[in-house]
Amino acid sequence: MTHEQATTAKVSGSLVNDREQTGPYRVIKVDWVGKVTVQSLDGTHEMQSDPAVFYRCNIRGEKIVE
């Protein structure tokens, strides 16, 4: 997800998932250097906000088609 998508997910409370489907995650912090801090059931994680990795999802982690 891009910086703009991460910010939108944070503000709207949307869930995101990654390619490995280890989420869903809720975005809790967005840094200008391309890092996002996400919260999942197993804790808080810092990750790169790579558009090829993250996507919006529902509570089951399934991709939401935009």
Side-chain angles (χ1 to χ4, degrees), residues 4-51:
E4 291 80 17
Q5 290 169 326
T7 302
T8 300
K10 178 183 180 286
V11 170
S12 70
S14 299
L15 296 173
V16 297
N17 206 347
D18 59 8
R19 260 196 314 247
E20 289 80 30
Q21 296 184 344
T22 57
Y25 300 104
R26 185 162 315 277
V27 177
I28 57 174
K29 182 179 176 187
V30 181
D31 293 327
W32 286 104
V33 293
K35 287 186 187 172
V36 294
T37 304
V38 295
Q39 178 75 41
S40 69
L41 293 176
D42 66 344
T44 302
H45 311 277
E46 274 194 4
M47 302 179 174
Q48 291 296 105
S49 60
D50 184 346

Side-chain angles (χ1 to χ4, degrees), residues 44-63:
T44 302
H45 311 277
E46 274 194 4
M47 302 179 174
Q48 291 296 105
S49 60
D50 184 346
V53 174
F54 285 98
Y55 55 87
R56 284 185 49 216
C57 70
N58 61 22
I59 193 72
R60 292 184 297 256
E62 299 165 339
K63 187 174 185 173

